[in-house]
Amino acid sequence: MLELSLLSRRHFLKVTAATGSGLAASSLVPAWAQSGPDANLGGLRPLSGTEFLLEIGRSQVRIDGQSGPAITVNGQLPAPLLRWREGDDITLRVHNGLDADTSIHWHGILLPNEMDGVPGVTFPGIQPGETFTYRIPVRQAGTYWYHSHSGLQEQLGHYGPIIIEPRGGDPVTYDREYVIVLSDYTFEGPHRVFQRLMAQSDTYNFQQRTLPDFFGDASREGFMSALRDRLMWGGMRMSPTDISDATSATLDYLVNGHGPNDNWTGLFNPGERVRLRFINASAMTFFNVRIPGLPMTVVQADGLDVQPVETDEFQIGVAETYDVIVTPQDDQAYTLMCETIDRSGYARATLAPRLGMVAPVPALRPRPTLTMRDMGMDHGAMPGMDNNSMPGMDHGAMPDMDHSSMPGMAHDASLPPAPPAGMDHAAMGHGVQGSAAGMQAHDHPRGPGVAGVAMRPVSRLHEPGAGLEDVPHRALAYTDLRSLEPNPDQRAPTREIEVHLTSNMERYMWSFDGRRFSEVVEPIQFTQGERLRLTMVNDTMMVHPIHLHGMFFDVVNGETGHKPRKHTINVKPGEKLSVDVTPEHLGDWAFHCHLLYHMHAGMFQVVSVRAPAGSDRHMHHGAQ
């Protein structure tokens, strides 16, 4: 492992001089990410380094035998593992060896506003040839990661893991540990992929429904029901197979920089407790993670300890982290299967007692499809409604139908607004949040960037994620998570802010409240120290991993004093969920979808944390 602790500048330059030389795969992959005994982190604790030097440059990477361009840190992909200790003050000097501006954001780390690393919000960015010094007081522990917040650099390899050792001892016991960084890479190049999506949003969806699919549906549901379903989706110019924008048609899926054929391998001795620190550092991919024949006990989510919960599979959204414990008892290999949410591809690794051992790789399961529930149409809350009887739908006019003819997806501003939501409207987690009070209100612009809105959104926190609803084993849901320690702030929220996730998928327009970031005129305002509820309504047909910089939030999932605390949460299609927040650090903080192309297209906002009225504190304003 290349831990750049107290490293001399001269030695640092020798290490990083090769960043543009087209290194072999083995040279690019840091020790912690290589197969075999070097990847075990158990012998590397504790570390006392507090000063790090990081060089951002260009390299060539080889994935499953194919070569492509990469942006690397210290010539490595993934970037070096940074291992800190809670209570230390960390200094990181980041030199930009690129010909473009760059940055590093420390994802999930609580830090001073000017150290957050978001160009145009908290600092100007790092110009070519310049060095920027980050100073971070470490006041937390757990599994986190870091990545570029400049353009589309992240997907080219500009990401790496962070592990912070707890000051008072780890509540989780284990014999060895591995970091599992999941990511996606495109040989086509992220800018080319983004341009193609802007031109045709379904350009990478090669899993469209076929004529045999129609006959299969007709045999199960009846001919007319299947026909009405096809006409409805066609009238909306949408496909129920649009689960992911970018698929295996352009993406390769990696574990620690290794493609499926490279088969990253972590070793164990039978009977050992093995800690796996999962980080989803991909740009556009949700993964469904399972290890056939080996249960997993989740002990941490987004860096914070949770009460142990055993499961067989979990969905990890972009930018989320999960730590799990596995205890393989037999002298055999196990496949770590990370299937993409659209099931067009997978990342794969192996846990084994010895190098060279492999286990069967499961076949890809049938791809999931979207339903009326994903449109914000809660049939359970709409008596008498089914595919054969939808009020307000002229089935004869289906081919020309738009969302305004759907009772759950509407453009019609004359629809009755929902009554103001009370502060306990989401307290039960499972319950229907919009339906009980009537139609969901939509007090935001509805221009060409808003193709439809969810009129009856519901909480879906109890659902494990697309494709996992009917699996024959346990699948993790947000309602399974309880924080290990009591929530630090258990006050009831005194006000609520509602934010809508909006889009026109056909035009590849993504936004909050109907406005792309370039159209936003003022930030969302929080007050330091207040207890507020942030409610999100997903008016789109895709799941979005929403990340709030500078603070954690408590997921309102039915718990009281042990709500899971997270920095990123997946908001499913047609869902309405709430999180409670206590802003502590003054300044402007990024708030965005962590699907890289969605953020790049405009699903981005700024949360401005202001001092309370009458306070004599001065807030720091990030660079604008």
Side-chain angles (χ1 to χ4, degrees), residues 19 34 37 95 133 246 253 282 317 325 440 458 517 533 539 548 556:
T19 52
Q34 294 181 15
H95 179 74
T133 300
Y253 306 108
S282 64
I325 298 292
Q440 169 67 44
V458 297
F517 185 53
R533 176 157 292 176
D539 290 328
L548 177 58
V556 182

Side-chain angles (χ1 to χ4, degrees), residues 299-565:
V299 295
Q300 196 178 95
D302 284 3
L304 301 183
D305 295 324
V306 297
Q307 297 179 28
V309 55
E310 189 173 270
T311 191
D312 298 302
E313 187 166 9
F314 63 88
Q315 184 170 108
I316 184 168
V318 175
E320 288 189 302
T321 72
Y322 282 105
D323 286 26
V324 307
I325 298 292
V326 296
T327 309
Q329 299 291 340
D330 299 323
D331 186 42
Q332 69 173 65
Y334 297 87
T335 293
L336 200 164
M337 185 67 175
C338 306
E339 192 175 41
T340 64
I341 189 176
D342 68 325
R343 293 180 177 165
S344 68
Y346 64 93
R348 162 253 188 156
T350 297
L351 296 177
R354 294 171 297 280
L355 282 175
M357 298 179 69
V358 295
V361 178
L364 291 173
R365 295 171 291 189
R367 49 114 171 89
T369 56
L370 299 170
T371 67
M372 294 294 158
R373 189 171 179 83
D374 297 303
M375 297 182 190
M377 299 174 64
D378 179 35
H379 292 184
M382 303 174 74
M385 182 178 181
D386 57 30
N387 283 344
N388 298 320
S389 177
M390 291 188 178
M393 290 182 66
D394 178 6
H395 295 295
M398 279 251 184
D400 299 318
M401 182 188 73
D402 63 18
H403 292 200
S404 61
S405 63
M406 305 284 295
M409 298 287 289
H411 286 295
D412 188 1
S414 66
L415 286 170
M423 290 314 304
D424 63 345
H425 74 90
M428 294 308 296
H430 288 223
V432 175
Q433 296 177 352
S435 306
M439 293 286 190
Q440 169 67 44
H442 292 273
D443 300 323
H444 57 77
R446 300 200 204 172
V450 181
V453 294
M455 294 310 296
R456 296 184 183 273
V458 297
S459 173
R460 306 181 69 176
L461 293 173
H462 60 291
E463 299 178 24
L468 300 183
E469 303 91 340
D470 300 317
V471 293
H473 52 249
R474 296 165 298 181
L476 187 75
Y478 284 143
T479 47
D480 296 324
L481 299 177
R482 302 181 76 239
S483 65
L484 183 63
E485 300 295 331
N487 299 140
D489 188 349
Q490 298 186 26
R491 294 176 297 165
T494 57
R495 70 183 182 109
E496 179 178 28
I497 296 174
E498 188 169 282
V499 174
H500 288 246
L501 286 54
T502 47
S503 77
N504 183 323
M505 294 170 64
E506 187 177 17
R507 299 187 183 185
Y508 211 72
M509 299 171 69
W510 304 95
S511 58
F512 286 124
D513 291 328
R515 295 185 180 93
R516 290 173 292 181
F517 185 53
S518 59
E519 302 164 341
V520 170
V521 295
E522 62 181 14
I524 300 170
Q525 294 191 15
F526 290 2
T527 300
Q528 185 185 42
E530 72 170 329
R531 188 64 168 168
L532 67 89
R533 176 157 292 176
L534 175 63
T535 294
M536 289 172 276
V537 179
N538 188 353
D539 290 328
T540 82
M541 295 287 288
M542 284 190 171
V543 57
H544 298 276
I546 301 300
H547 174 45
L548 177 58
H549 289 222
M551 62 201 83
F552 281 87
F553 47 73
D554 301 346
V555 181
V556 182
N557 71 340
E559 289 295 330
T560 52
H562 288 269
K563 298 181 180 71
R565 307 187 68 219

